[in-house]
Amino acid sequence: MEIDQDALGDVIRRLRRAEGQIRGVIAMLEDGRDCADVVTQLAAVSRALDRAGFKIIASGLRECVKAEGNGEKPSLDVAQLEKLFLSLA
């Protein structure tokens, strides 16, 4: 499954943001910050990763619908995409 270029750019931006947030969480732990602050940041990282994953799945669904509309066989079928979606949910 290929990700369309607009979605790819968005996913990469989200992952880079999450990468920075993870570095921030590590620094918070090393600095002995309050656990509530650390957990809040971990939740933000988790949401960012989930959104990146959902964006990839949405791109796959669009590709699947487009391929079927053109009479082609999609690289992933709906069941595979559903399984991927549920792995994030």
Side-chain angles (χ1 to χ4, degrees):
M1 172 182 80
E2 287 188 30
I3 303 171
D4 71 71
Q5 290 302 309
D6 291 337
L8 179 63
D10 189 41
V11 168
I12 290 171
R13 279 189 297 280
R14 290 173 191 271
L15 292 175
R16 288 210 170 116
R17 187 177 312 127
E19 179 183 32
Q21 289 173 312
I22 290 170
R23 275 194 238 104
V25 169
I26 291 168
M28 291 171 75
L29 289 168
E30 291 173 340
D31 293 343
R33 295 278 300 271
D34 182 66
C35 70
D37 294 337
V38 172
V39 170
T40 298
Q41 287 304 308
L42 283 174
V45 171
S46 180
R47 283 190 303 276
L49 293 173
D50 285 347
R51 287 186 182 129
F54 288 133
K55 187 75 167 184
I56 291 169
I57 292 168
S59 177
L61 284 170
R62 282 192 298 277
E63 180 185 311
C64 182
V65 168
K66 183 178 174 183
E68 287 179 351
N70 293 334
E72 302 168 0
K73 181 175 172 33
S75 59
L76 292 176
D77 64 25
V78 174
Q80 291 169 309
L81 287 166
E82 181 180 350
K83 185 176 179 180
L84 289 172
F85 176 81
L86 291 173
S87 73
L88 291 175

